[in-house]
Amino acid sequence: MPQNRRPGTRTDPIGNGSNNWREEAMRKVMGSLTMAVALVSLPGCCATRTCVKPSAASPSLSAWSASTVAPLRTQTGQALSDSIRASVRSAGLKPMNVLVLSGGGQYGAFGAGVLNGLAARPDQPDLSFDIVTGISTGSLQATFAFLGPEFYGLIEEAYTGVTQKDIIRKRNLLSLPCAASLMDASPLRARIERYITMEVLNRVADAYESGRQLYVGTVNLDTGEFVTWNLGQIASKRTAEALRLYHDILMAATAIPVVFPPVFVSQETASGVVSRTLHADGGIREIVFFRQFMLELKGAVELESLRSGAGRPIAGLNQVTMTVIVNGKLGLASECTQERLMSVGLRSLSALTDQSSLNSVFRAYVLACANGISFRMARIPDDFEVPASSWTFDTEAMKALFNLGKGMALSDPIPWEARPPTGEDIDALCGDRE
C-alpha cells in the first residue's frame, strides 16, 4: 500500500519521502553563498605592497628607460652620436630603415610572415633595420627583427610551432582572488629565456654599439605612464643581471592586463636608488610607437657626414624609410549590437581600443611626415577572417596569418599603404605622398 506523503516532500534516492526539497535547495544555495563569500573575502587576506610615491629628490628615470622624451634624449644622444660617428667612418653611409612593430597577441603571426616574406625577396639582399620598436607581441619580434634575417626562422617558429599551453595556462579557480591575472604566463617566460640567451644579448649589444637602436614599450602601472626601454643599452652591460632585466622587460611588455600578470621591474635610478615598479603591456596606451628622440641617429649621421664631406651633405643621406607592421586590423566592422549590458560594454570597449590604435599609427605617420621620412604600412586586410580573441593562440589560425603576411610581402608590388586609414585630413598636414 503506497505511503501517504505530505505536500512539499519528495522521494529520496533510497525510497524515503522524508527529505524536504525546499530544505535541500536551501542547503545548496547556502553552500554556494558560503563559497562566494569566501572567494570575495579572500582578497582581504592577500599580501599587499607599499608603494613609495616618486619625488623630485628620487627620480624614477633609469639609465635605460624613460617615461618622458626629454630625459631619455639627453641620456642617449651623446652615446648614439659617438657610436654612429665610428660606424660612419668605418662603413660609410647608406639609407636608413626604421621598423615599427605593433601589438596583437597571436595576430603577431602576420608580422612574422611579413618579415620572412621580405627576407625571401630577391630585391632585399641585405634586409636590416637601423631602428626597431615593438609593442606587446611586437616586442617579442623586435629583438630578432633587429638582429636580421638569420633569426627570422625563430620568429616563424615562435608563432607557427606553438599552442596555447606553450604560452599560458589556466589558474586554479580558488587562486584567482589573490592572483593578478586570469592566466599563468610561466610557459611564456620559459620560452623567452630559451630564445633570448647570453649569445643573443651579446649580438644585440654589438648592434647597439655600432649605432643601431632597439626599443620596446611598457606601461608603469604605478604612475600610469608609457615607458620606453632601450634594450640595446641594457644588452651592452653584457651581464647575467642585464639578461634577467631583458627577460623581465619582455614579459612586462607582453603582459595583457587581466589575462597575463604584470611584472615587477627593478632598476637603478639616476640617483643610485633601486626602484621596483609594476609594469604591463605597452598596448594599454599605444599599439605602435616611435619618438622624435630616436632620430638622434639621423642627426648624428648628418653631423658626421658634414664633417667627413668637408661641409657638404653626402648624397642619399635623407633616405629614411619607416615600415609599420600592424599585427591586426584597423577600423571596426559593422555588427548588430544587442541592447544588453555585455554586448554594449564589449562593443564600446572595441571602439575605444580601435581608436587608440588608429591614434598611435597616425602619430607615427605625422612624425614621419614632419621629418621627411617615407612611410609604408602593412596590416591584416579587413576581409580576412581572424579569431575573435588575440590571446587564444590557435596554431592553425596563426599559420594562416603567417602565410597571409608572407604572401603579401612576396607580392609584386607589395601592397604597402602610404598612409593610415583615418578620417583626418592628412594631405593638408603632410601633402599627398602616394
Side-chain angles (χ1 to χ4, degrees):
M1 181 175 180
Q3 296 179 335
N4 292 327
R5 288 183 292 163
R6 299 189 311 273
T9 64
R10 68 176 184 179
T11 304
D12 67 15
I14 58 174
N16 296 323
S18 59
N19 290 340
N20 187 288
W21 69 271
R22 290 189 179 90
E23 292 176 359
E24 290 182 21
M26 185 59 69
R27 280 196 294 270
K28 291 180 180 178
V29 169
M30 290 304 296
S32 298
L33 285 175
T34 301
M35 177 64 75
V37 169
L39 290 174
V40 171
S41 302
L42 273 175
C45 304
C46 300
T48 58
R49 57 186 286 245
T50 301
C51 298
V52 178
K53 186 176 181 179
S55 64
S58 58
S60 61
L61 186 65
S62 78
W64 40 66
S65 73
S67 54
T68 56
V69 171
L72 187 58
R73 178 176 182 141
T74 300
Q75 292 170 356
T76 63
Q78 187 59 48
L80 280 172
S81 297
D82 292 343
S83 61
I84 291 163
R85 289 191 191 102
S87 178
V88 169
R89 284 193 290 268
S90 63
L93 291 171
K94 63 177 182 178
M96 282 178 54
N97 290 305
V98 176
L99 177 64
V100 178
L101 297 164
S102 88
Q106 69 179 342
Y107 305 154
F110 169 76
V114 172
L115 289 171
N116 276 271
L118 289 175
R121 292 182 66 92
D123 57 355
Q124 299 278 348
D126 186 27
L127 181 65
S128 65
F129 297 97
D130 303 282
I131 304 172
V132 178
T133 75
I135 289 285
S136 194
T137 196
S139 68
L140 296 179
Q141 300 170 340
T143 295
F144 299 121
F146 182 66
L147 293 179
E150 67 176 289
F151 287 89
Y152 287 4
L154 291 177
I155 303 179
E156 178 180 0
E157 176 188 324
Y159 286 93
T160 63
V162 298
T163 61
Q164 188 181 72
K165 66 180 178 62
D166 297 314
I167 307 298
I168 52 177
R169 57 178 175 231
K170 295 179 180 179
R171 294 187 186 276
N172 185 290
L173 178 63
L174 294 177
S175 72
L176 291 180
C178 289
S181 63
L182 294 173
M183 301 291 177
D184 174 7
S186 56
L188 176 60
R189 175 86 190 203
R191 293 188 73 83
I192 287 175
E193 292 176 353
R194 170 186 159 196
Y195 285 121
I196 306 296
T197 61
M198 185 59 73
E199 179 184 356
V200 169
L201 190 81
N202 287 331
R203 292 286 294 271
V204 172
D206 292 341
Y208 169 75
E209 290 164 1
S210 74
R212 295 167 60 210
Q213 303 173 62
L214 172 62
Y215 301 98
V216 300
T218 66
V219 166
N220 182 332
L221 294 179
D222 294 330
T223 65
E225 294 175 314
F226 184 90
V227 179
T228 300
W229 294 93
N230 187 337
L231 292 185
Q233 191 171 5
I234 292 171
S236 69
K237 303 299 179 183
R238 301 178 189 264
T239 63
E241 290 76 13
L243 181 61
R244 183 164 52 251
L245 177 60
Y246 203 108
H247 293 159
D248 288 344
I249 292 169
L250 290 184
M251 283 298 296
T254 57
I256 304 169
V258 181
V259 181
F260 289 13
V263 177
F264 280 108
V265 179
S266 298
Q267 53 179 319
E268 187 174 335
T269 67
S271 60
V273 177
V274 175
S275 170
R276 189 169 183 260
T277 48
L278 196 60
H279 291 254
D281 195 322
I284 298 171
R285 283 196 170 272
E286 303 186 47
I287 196 69
V288 299
F289 79 108
F290 189 76
R291 298 290 186 265
Q292 183 70 40
F293 78 83
M294 297 174 187
L295 293 174
E296 286 285 354
L297 176 62
K298 182 172 179 286
V301 171
E302 288 174 345
L303 179 60
E304 184 59 28
S305 73
L306 289 172
R307 290 174 175 170
S308 303
R312 297 187 305 276
I314 295 177
L317 175 65
N318 292 320
Q319 295 178 8
V320 182
T321 300
M322 178 186 292
T323 301
V324 177
I325 299 178
V326 178
N327 292 305
K329 298 182 179 183
L330 293 175
L332 288 181
S334 297
E335 72 172 43
C336 181
T337 304
Q338 301 301 318
E339 295 179 274
R340 299 289 184 272
L341 177 64
M342 186 65 72
S343 180
V344 171
L346 290 175
R347 185 60 172 173
S348 300
L349 181 61
S350 295
L352 180 66
T353 54
D354 178 66
Q355 188 59 51
S356 175
S357 299
L358 286 168
N359 290 346
S360 296
V361 176
F362 182 68
R363 178 179 179 179
Y365 174 79
V366 171
L367 189 58
C369 276
N371 288 279
I373 296 173
S374 175
F375 179 95
R376 63 185 191 179
M377 180 181 71
R379 58 178 169 131
I380 299 175
D382 293 338
D383 59 356
F384 189 86
E385 187 175 347
V386 298
S389 170
S390 66
W391 54 272
T392 54
F393 302 105
D394 179 279
T395 306
E396 293 307 313
M398 288 190 285
K399 286 180 179 178
L401 285 165
F402 178 88
N403 291 333
L404 169 70
K406 187 172 183 178
M408 289 174 62
L410 289 173
S411 300
D412 193 15
I414 302 173
W416 297 117
E417 295 182 59
R419 57 167 63 86
T422 171
E424 301 287 342
D425 187 1
I426 293 178
D427 289 351
L429 292 172
C430 301
D432 188 349
R433 303 188 62 180
E434 286 189 342

